[in-house]
Amino acid sequence: MRKLRFLTFFVQIVILLLVLSSCNTTKFLAGDEQLLTKNSIKLLNPKDVKNKTSLKYELASLYKQKPNTNFLFFFPREWFYFATLDPQDTTKIDRWQRRVIAETPAIYSQYLADSTARSMEYYLQYNGYYNANVFYDDVLSGKDRKKIQITYYANTGKQFTIDTAFFSSPDTNIHRILKEISSRTLLKRGEPLTRIVYEQEKERITSYLRNNGYADVYANYVAPLDADTTYQTGRANIYLEVLPPANDSLHKRYRVGDVMIYSQYDPLIDEAELLDTLVKGFHFRLPPNSTFKVRPQVVVESVHLRTGDMYSQANYDLTVRQLSALGIYKFVRIQEVIDSEDPTKLNFRIELTRNKRMELGIDFELNYTNRSATSGAGNLIGVFVSPNLRNRNLFRGAELLITNFSAGVEINPNFGDTLSRLWNTIDLRTQADLYFPKFYDYLSVWRGLYSARISKKGGIISDNYYRLLHENAQTRLTASYNYLLLLDFYSYNLFNAFYGYDMQHFAANGSHRYIVNHIGVDYLRPVTEDNFKE
């Protein structure tokens, strides 16, 4: 009987497949419409392309119009779109088909095909195929000539490579600097001449200039590349120029002037009433009758704009990053203005808007556990309360203390039963995390790794990594305790302490934490009648 049912079901499925696979979706098309069924790419000069598979894959990602897919390999999704297009198709199954299975039909568009060919051509030129051109051919198929297949033909030509890069600027000072740093160029001889490398070279030059006093130099001052391809077939001499400013022949080079720090900035307070206090060369502006809420030395250590130093964009960014990382400030804003008496100096105004020092929160949880009656304990009701306290300026040095306490119990609602007790589980937890806004190497672990020279290039960790530790790491001390009691089973005590570092601004997708030392004590003991009474 089961075999007969299975055979009947199998026959029904086969019939359904045959019916749907034979469905002619083109009958729904208007007279001048065709359904796009296939895209393909053909390289006309494959010998000039090193990685043909990769290039064809990248070009295929530029399709402006793609054929429809099939549902379960056989059923054309556009058929479900047409089949449920009638205004009367409002049943649940119709709505489900439109939402889950159906696709809007890929009606062939000549405009989109032209746009695809242009995009492919631009992409090839962007990647060094400067003589590339792309065209396409469309072929109709099917009995009713309603289906169309497009083949894109890419005549790439040879990919140009770099022979020699030349750097210049009408600004004599910039010209001299370009000559000095030309050995570090990314426009290496023999490398493909791509737009990506050019953009990276622009960023390299701009960053170097902005980190050496030229605060007004941006990427738009680097002119488009001028390439001479007449020197040798397939090779190009590159000419890169840094343009002068619009209204002058020379770019200005700036030094850091006065640095004014508003450590308790409030736009409602008249600046004429603010007090001026000088701390290690920095001017602190405070509201009247107020004191430093955060020790000024902590703020000074996070400011890397020193009076008299050459302006550096890297130091500017590091200042913003480290002041924001202190946590005690909600907003960090830095304004720069040219000194009215010395136009070669930039004065800086640092506005720090304080965050709330104390923050209290609490979480509450109620749960129900349904357990088998054969276990003896029956069903359980759990109640958990978790208050937490956050202090963002514990010792007036922007230290962050996060204290969490959690208390929970599970009770048996059938405690009247002589076989049951009211309390089944007791869970107590507490944890304190103390963050210091700078890197402290208490055990000299990292300094040892840095000092241990294993080669001429350096130690176990590089100079750059060690510098990033000092610039971005926050020291973290943690202590926690957990007590867990399961009635008539066991009790559990856990003491835990460790210190480590939180590395922030170190990766684009979050922060990394490195624990360099861990100290822990675990204590587990069975529950007996005697120690339960304790």
Side-chain angles (χ1 to χ4, degrees), residues 209-323:
L209 294 175
R210 289 185 61 81
N211 288 332
N212 286 272
Y214 292 96
D216 292 337
V217 174
Y218 297 94
N220 61 311
Y221 281 105
V222 180
L225 278 179
D226 186 8
D228 181 7
T229 60
T230 62
Y231 173 74
Q232 186 176 352
T233 303
R235 284 181 172 267
N237 286 335
I238 305 303
Y239 299 88
L240 190 146
E241 181 182 13
V242 176
L243 303 175
N247 301 320
D248 202 345
S249 60
L250 300 175
H251 287 280
K252 290 183 179 180
R253 199 176 191 186
Y254 297 96
R255 290 189 177 273
V256 178
D258 294 331
V259 180
M260 204 76 64
I261 301 175
Y262 296 76
S263 59
Q264 301 176 44
Y265 178 71
D266 187 347
L268 300 180
I269 299 179
D270 187 356
E271 291 199 21
E273 301 178 0
L274 298 179
L275 306 177
D276 193 339
T277 304
L278 189 65
V279 179
K280 294 185 177 182
F282 294 91
H283 294 270
F284 280 81
R285 304 298 304 275
L286 297 175
N289 302 320
S290 66
T291 59
F292 286 103
K293 305 300 182 183
V294 180
R295 293 196 308 273
Q297 293 83 357
V298 175
V299 179
V300 167
E301 290 177 357
S302 299
V303 177
H304 299 270
L305 300 168
R306 309 287 177 175
T307 301
D309 288 354
M310 199 67 68
Y311 171 83
S312 170
Q313 182 66 45
N315 288 338
Y316 178 97
D317 296 337
L318 182 60
T319 298
V320 174
R321 191 163 65 244
Q322 291 196 348
L323 287 174

Side-chain angles (χ1 to χ4, degrees), residues 9 22 26 65 133 135 172 193 215 223 250 272 278 300 309 416 464 493:
F9 176 75
S22 63
T26 58
Q65 190 177 27
N133 66 295
F135 59 94
T172 55
L193 179 55
L250 300 175
L278 189 65
V300 167
D309 288 354
N464 186 52
N493 289 273

Side-chain angles (χ1 to χ4, degrees), residues 364-371 377-385 407-415 421-427:
F364 178 79
E365 179 183 342
L366 179 65
N367 59 59
Y368 178 76
T369 303
N370 188 1
R371 304 205 303 181
N379 300 331
L380 299 175
I381 296 176
V383 181
F384 293 87
V385 179
V409 296
E410 285 185 325
I411 61 175
N412 187 349
N414 299 319
F415 67 92
R421 292 176 177 169
L422 173 62
W423 306 105
N424 184 77
T425 305
I426 298 177
D427 189 355

Side-chain angles (χ1 to χ4, degrees), residues 4-66:
L4 181 60
R5 290 179 179 176
F6 176 78
L7 183 60
T8 303
F9 176 75
F10 179 76
V11 171
Q12 292 174 346
I13 292 295
V14 171
I15 294 175
L16 179 62
L17 289 175
L18 292 175
V19 171
L20 287 179
S21 62
S22 63
C23 289
N24 184 12
T25 56
T26 58
K27 67 182 181 180
F28 297 99
L29 301 177
D32 58 345
E33 292 181 337
Q34 293 93 27
L35 189 67
L36 178 63
T37 59
K38 185 179 180 181
N39 284 324
S40 60
I41 298 173
K42 185 175 181 179
L43 302 179
L44 296 180
N45 49 341
K47 293 182 179 180
D48 294 333
V49 180
K50 292 182 178 180
N51 195 336
K52 295 180 282 294
T53 302
S54 177
L55 182 61
K56 291 178 70 173
Y57 176 81
E58 292 164 359
L59 291 176
S61 67
L62 301 175
Y63 290 139
K64 304 295 183 182
Q65 190 177 27
K66 297 181 180 180

Side-chain angles (χ1 to χ4, degrees), residues 68-296:
N68 293 111
T69 60
N70 289 336
F71 177 66
L72 296 180
F73 305 103
F74 297 102
F75 315 134
R77 291 181 181 269
E78 69 273 17
W79 183 89
F80 292 94
Y81 175 88
F82 287 121
T84 59
L85 194 60
D86 194 295
Q88 297 181 356
D89 295 329
T90 59
T91 63
K92 289 184 178 180
I93 187 62
D94 291 330
R95 294 195 299 269
W96 178 81
Q97 290 183 60
R98 283 195 295 268
R99 186 179 69 253
V100 178
I101 303 179
E103 282 183 356
T104 302
I107 306 299
Y108 169 69
S109 168
Q110 184 177 355
Y111 171 79
L112 294 178
D114 292 338
S115 179
T116 299
R118 287 195 303 269
S119 297
M120 290 181 177
E121 196 169 286
Y122 295 154
Y123 179 84
L124 290 171
Q125 295 172 358
Y126 188 90
N127 284 276
Y129 299 94
Y130 292 103
N131 294 326
N133 66 295
V134 178
F135 59 94
Y136 66 92
D137 185 23
D138 46 31
V139 178
L140 295 173
S141 62
K143 295 181 179 180
D144 51 4
R145 311 289 286 175
K146 285 290 188 176
K147 295 181 180 180
I148 193 168
Q149 299 179 359
I150 303 179
T151 302
Y152 293 92
Y153 296 91
N155 184 12
T156 63
K158 288 188 176 181
Q159 187 180 36
F160 279 84
T161 57
I162 302 170
D163 186 80
T164 306
F166 300 92
F167 302 89
S168 64
S169 176
D171 185 327
T172 55
N173 295 324
I174 299 291
H175 183 82
R176 175 180 51 81
I177 294 175
L178 291 176
K179 294 296 184 182
E180 293 175 354
I181 65 174
S182 61
S183 60
R184 311 174 199 171
T185 181
L186 302 175
L187 301 172
K188 302 291 186 181
R189 174 173 290 184
E191 293 295 321
L193 179 55
T194 66
R195 182 78 178 181
I196 296 176
V197 175
Y198 165 64
E199 294 294 339
Q200 292 174 343
E201 180 69 4
K202 283 175 58 177
E203 177 63 25
R204 183 189 73 88
I205 293 174
T206 305
S207 296
Y208 184 89
L209 294 175
R210 289 185 61 81
N211 288 332
N212 286 272
Y214 292 96
D216 292 337
V217 174
Y218 297 94
N220 61 311
Y221 281 105
V222 180
L225 278 179
D226 186 8
D228 181 7
T229 60
T230 62
Y231 173 74
Q232 186 176 352
T233 303
R235 284 181 172 267
N237 286 335
I238 305 303
Y239 299 88
L240 190 146
E241 181 182 13
V242 176
L243 303 175
N247 301 320
D248 202 345
S249 60
L250 300 175
H251 287 280
K252 290 183 179 180
R253 199 176 191 186
Y254 297 96
R255 290 189 177 273
V256 178
D258 294 331
V259 180
M260 204 76 64
I261 301 175
Y262 296 76
S263 59
Q264 301 176 44
Y265 178 71
D266 187 347
L268 300 180
I269 299 179
D270 187 356
E271 291 199 21
E273 301 178 0
L274 298 179
L275 306 177
D276 193 339
T277 304
L278 189 65
V279 179
K280 294 185 177 182
F282 294 91
H283 294 270
F284 280 81
R285 304 298 304 275
L286 297 175
N289 302 320
S290 66
T291 59
F292 286 103
K293 305 300 182 183
V294 180
R295 293 196 308 273

Side-chain angles (χ1 to χ4, degrees), residues 414-434:
N414 299 319
F415 67 92
D417 188 348
T418 56
L419 298 178
S420 304
R421 292 176 177 169
L422 173 62
W423 306 105
N424 184 77
T425 305
I426 298 177
D427 189 355
L428 302 177
R429 302 169 185 262
T430 182
Q431 178 171 319
D433 296 294
L434 179 59

